[in-house]
Amino acid sequence: MTASALPGTDAHARRERLAYWKLAGLLALAAVAMTIASAFVGYARLDVLPALADALHGERSLPAMVLTQLRLPRAILGALVGFSLGITGAAMQGLLRNPLAEPGIVGVSGAAAFGAVVCFYSGLAGAFALALPLGGIAGAFVVALILFALVGRGAGTMTLILAGVAINSFAGAMTSIALNLSPNPYAALEIVFWLMGSLVDRSLPQVWLAAPLMVAGWALLISVGPALDALTLGEDSARSLGFDLPRLRVKVVAGCALAVGAAVAVTGVIGFVGLVVPHILRPFVGARPGRLLLVSGFGGAILLLGADIAVRLMPIRPELHLGVMTAVIGGPFLFSLVYRLREDA
Amino acid sequence: MEIRAEGLEVRFGDARILGDVWLTLRPGELVGLIGPNGAGKTTLLRALADLVRPTRGVVRYDGKPRSALGRAVLARRLAFLAQGDEVNWALRVDHVVELGRLPHRRAFAGPSQKDRDAVERALQAAGVAHLRFRACSTLSGGERKRVLLARALAAEGEVLLADEPVAALDPLHQLRIMQLLRSTARGGAGVVAVLHDLMLATRFCDRIVLLCAGSILLDGDPAELSDALIRKAYGVTAFRGEQDGQPFVAPWVPCDRSSDESFGGLR
């Protein structure tokens, strides 16, 4: 019996593919719209279009500088970091087959934060502009190497999670020591505020530093889509379908280290985006992990830009840190998720 | 494709799971892999599918080791149905069955007409076509098992290795699936099914491989499964019957009193 015996099957498959690309396209458009909206929102009154015209003509007018040095880096980084958190959350949940997995679970974000804190503590952060993000990236890189060594020794998924717990606790403890021994209260305050995550006062060079790393991470994560789909049937089945699991783990860890390491290095730790977004979008892609990756990226960008616009529009000064805002949204969501999971059990 | 296990030994730590197993699987044959719990059936099946590395010995596919064949080629030619009914996330039935076609697809290409036809045939064969738009999480264990069998069938490989394909199925579906496995073998595929039901094994299989404590006690015709072998492997006596000219074997009573006593606490 062939498919032609069941009219509508082919049409259905086509319709389904179209629906997926429509969803991805819509989310991409919304992410672009949010990025533009983010450039329009700020404390100073700014006519964005004349400022853009000035900037394009190379005039160093005040509006042009506000746009290129304050608004644009913030908007672009919001989109890039949101995308990184969303796609990595989806990949981690797919790899670990656990709805409570999030980008930081293998320890990459904790280590990146610690790397940046070392730069604060040592005074490197004040010595040159890109020291902070470079320190963060170095932290993520070291952890990625440790995790690769583990995978190389045959470590499975559970070992990766446990290693992540160990790395996160250690990085957290070292960060606390840095705070504890901080030379003056201002340095400690600076570290604490930085750890809360924010897009304020970021520069275009930071964007250029982080963007290529993040894009490389996204590419790696998108390449594992079919393997994550196969993994829904368990490890043996995925291997029998021709997928090399150690290679899959290395790719996901590398993608996570590049995308989230670079994100944390420039913005500090922003939680919950990577956890929440895949959950919201999962029903729209038939729960297929491979198809969840790209849309979660766009969803993450939308959510993070939305939160960043919200902190600027809310009448609270000084403005709330972005990590605080996402946790305020994400906490109750996580609770409702746990509540529903309890009902399913 | 002919699969040969040559002197396989598998150890997990100190425990020897398989010891010196020699076995040949030929196309067109339905082989019933039977044996008591812990005999090493799943490990043998996984070793045949290149999912566990033997500590000694080698598995050859048409005379070649897996390394010479390549992982992707083996995935196209051999389908493996794992024990249990694991499906993570609320995936839809037709999407699960479609996963069986992954080895045949180019990276990131959608399913072709050929893939869709194979999925359709598998859905029909396993009797789950009516469930195609249901999420697997809403199915019963038996239904999910049949969906996963459809997934393995959709690969349309030359070999199907199925670990307990009829566990958790009702009698009607047990019979249907055994008929399906036999017709798959008649179609030219080599099929190995791990079975606990001696009646189904002796009735439907062309060949029986009886495994006990990691060694093969019998590799032969179902008629060769003697009372002595059943007693030795399972510790039970056998009831033999014949229906429509087909002989069958069913386990009857435990052989020794000591096993009664060890279960005494349950009464």
Side-chain angles (χ1 to χ4, degrees):
Chain A
M1 187 173 290
T2 64
S4 58
L6 273 143
T9 305
D10 271 359
H12 186 90
R14 260 200 305 279
R15 219 174 32 240
E16 219 169 53
R17 280 178 77 76
L18 194 66
Y20 168 71
W21 285 111
K22 258 190 200 161
L23 174 70
L26 271 176
L27 288 170
L29 273 179
V32 171
M34 291 294 279
T35 311
I36 295 169
S38 175
F40 274 85
V41 177
Y43 301 113
R45 274 177 52 90
L46 179 70
D47 291 326
V48 173
L49 294 179
L52 186 65
D54 281 359
L56 289 177
H57 289 112
E59 284 180 39
R60 295 178 59 80
S61 66
L62 184 64
M65 280 164 69
V66 169
L67 183 68
T68 56
Q69 294 184 16
L70 294 173
R71 300 278 179 89
L72 274 184
R74 183 168 185 163
I76 295 172
L77 266 185
L80 296 178
V81 169
F83 195 101
S84 295
L85 293 173
I87 194 173
T88 319
M92 276 297 164
Q93 290 183 6
L95 177 72
L96 305 180
R97 288 168 286 152
N98 189 324
L100 297 176
E102 49 102 25
I105 198 163
V106 288
V108 170
S109 46
F114 174 63
V117 167
V118 168
C119 288
F120 268 119
Y121 187 74
S122 61
L124 270 176
F128 66 107
L130 292 179
L132 210 55
L134 284 174
I137 289 164
F141 184 72
V142 169
V143 160
L145 288 184
I146 294 173
L147 294 173
F148 290 161
L150 270 179
V151 174
R153 290 173 61 89
T157 302
M158 199 52 76
T159 316
L160 277 184
I161 298 177
L162 289 172
V165 170
I167 291 166
N168 274 328
S169 325
F170 184 75
M174 296 309 281
T175 304
S176 300
I177 289 176
L179 283 172
N180 219 210
L181 302 178
S182 132
N184 60 64
Y186 299 107
L189 208 62
E190 215 176 349
I191 293 175
V192 168
F193 278 136
W194 189 85
L195 284 175
M196 287 179 186
S198 169
L199 292 169
V200 180
D201 294 339
R202 300 305 190 259
S203 65
L204 276 179
Q206 288 187 343
V207 175
W208 305 139
L209 174 71
L213 297 175
M214 290 191 204
V215 173
W218 305 347
L220 267 177
L221 294 178
I222 286 182
S223 78
V224 301
L228 294 181
D229 283 342
L231 202 55
T232 54
L233 303 177
E235 297 197 345
D236 267 357
S237 299
R239 287 175 62 200
S240 75
L241 287 168
F243 295 99
D244 182 347
L245 293 190
R247 204 155 101 196
L248 167 68
R249 291 186 192 110
V250 163
K251 277 185 168 179
V252 174
V253 167
C256 175
L258 284 165
V260 176
V264 172
V266 285
T267 62
V269 182
I270 297 171
F272 287 105
V273 175
L275 178 68
V276 169
V277 169
H279 278 290
I280 297 173
L281 293 172
R282 185 165 286 120
F284 295 99
V285 294
R288 291 193 270 186
R291 292 205 163 180
L292 193 56
L293 295 168
L294 189 64
V295 293
S296 291
F298 291 125
I302 293 167
L303 182 66
L304 197 69
L305 288 163
D308 190 44
I309 291 172
V311 293
R312 282 177 283 174
L313 292 179
M314 281 194 312
I316 301 173
R317 296 293 173 269
E319 75 172 43
L320 289 181
H321 274 73
L322 196 51
V324 178
M325 186 69 188
T326 56
V328 166
I329 302 170
F333 182 86
L334 178 61
F335 188 82
S336 74
L337 177 73
V338 170
Y339 194 77
R340 258 182 302 159
L341 284 179
R342 182 197 60 91
E343 280 178 342
D344 287 349
Chain B
M1 182 167 62
E2 185 187 90
I3 304 184
R4 269 181 68 80
E6 298 176 357
L8 280 195
E9 184 192 80
V10 176
R11 285 176 177 276
F12 295 149
D14 290 337
R16 198 190 71 160
I17 311 298
L18 289 179
D20 199 31
V21 169
W22 293 75
L23 184 66
T24 304
L25 306 171
R26 285 173 286 269
E29 218 180 20
L30 171 56
V31 176
L33 182 54
I34 62 171
N37 293 140
K41 303 182 292 296
T42 295
T43 304
L44 177 56
L45 205 69
R46 292 180 73 227
L48 294 173
D50 189 47
L51 296 173
V52 65
R53 189 178 295 173
T55 33
R56 204 176 296 163
V58 67
V59 178
R60 292 186 192 279
Y61 305 90
D62 277 341
K64 289 182 227 153
R66 209 282 287 149
S67 53
L69 201 66
R71 193 186 297 275
V73 175
L74 185 64
R76 278 197 288 275
R77 299 179 65 179
L78 181 151
F80 176 80
L81 174 67
Q83 205 180 91
D85 55 10
E86 181 176 3
V87 181
N88 290 278
W89 312 114
L91 246 63
R92 232 171 55 191
V93 165
D94 56 343
H95 292 161
V96 168
V97 177
E98 222 176 83
L99 292 175
R101 298 299 299 174
L102 276 176
H104 297 273
R105 275 158 55 179
R106 275 180 298 125
F108 296 101
S112 65
Q113 185 63 50
K114 203 174 155 198
D115 292 326
R116 280 199 288 273
D117 289 349
V119 167
E120 196 53 43
R121 280 192 290 272
L123 283 167
Q124 300 286 351
V128 289
H130 63 293
L131 302 171
R132 70 175 74 221
F133 296 136
R134 290 263 300 272
C136 274
S137 51
T138 66
L139 303 182
S140 75
E143 287 172 327
R144 213 156 42 226
K145 191 79 204 184
R146 281 190 286 143
V147 169
L148 289 173
L149 178 65
R151 194 280 298 165
L153 289 172
E156 300 192 336
E158 299 161 46
V159 178
L160 171 62
L161 304 179
D163 200 349
E164 299 193 15
V166 295
L169 299 195
D170 57 52
L172 170 67
H173 287 104
Q174 286 189 355
L175 293 173
R176 286 251 166 92
I177 296 301
M178 288 310 296
Q179 284 170 339
L180 173 62
L181 293 178
R182 189 155 68 177
S183 68
T184 306
R186 295 291 172 270
V191 181
V192 182
V194 171
L195 297 168
H196 275 299
D197 189 324
L198 295 181
M199 179 127 66
L200 293 177
T202 48
R203 206 182 135 193
F204 285 96
C205 295
D206 302 309
R207 211 170 111 204
I208 292 286
V209 173
L210 171 61
L211 208 59
C212 187
S215 300
I216 291 180
L217 284 190
L218 168 73
D219 177 1
D221 193 86
E224 294 174 45
L225 186 64
S226 65
D227 288 354
L229 280 171
I230 291 173
R231 194 177 310 119
K232 186 173 176 192
Y234 291 97
V236 299
T237 65
F239 169 81
R240 285 171 189 277
E242 197 178 298
Q243 178 77 16
D244 302 335
Q246 271 187 312
F248 63 83
V249 175
W252 206 244
V253 289
C255 289
D256 63 38
R257 303 298 303 170
S258 68
S259 64
D260 278 2
E261 281 154 21
S262 61
F263 281 90
L266 296 176
R267 275 195 224 103

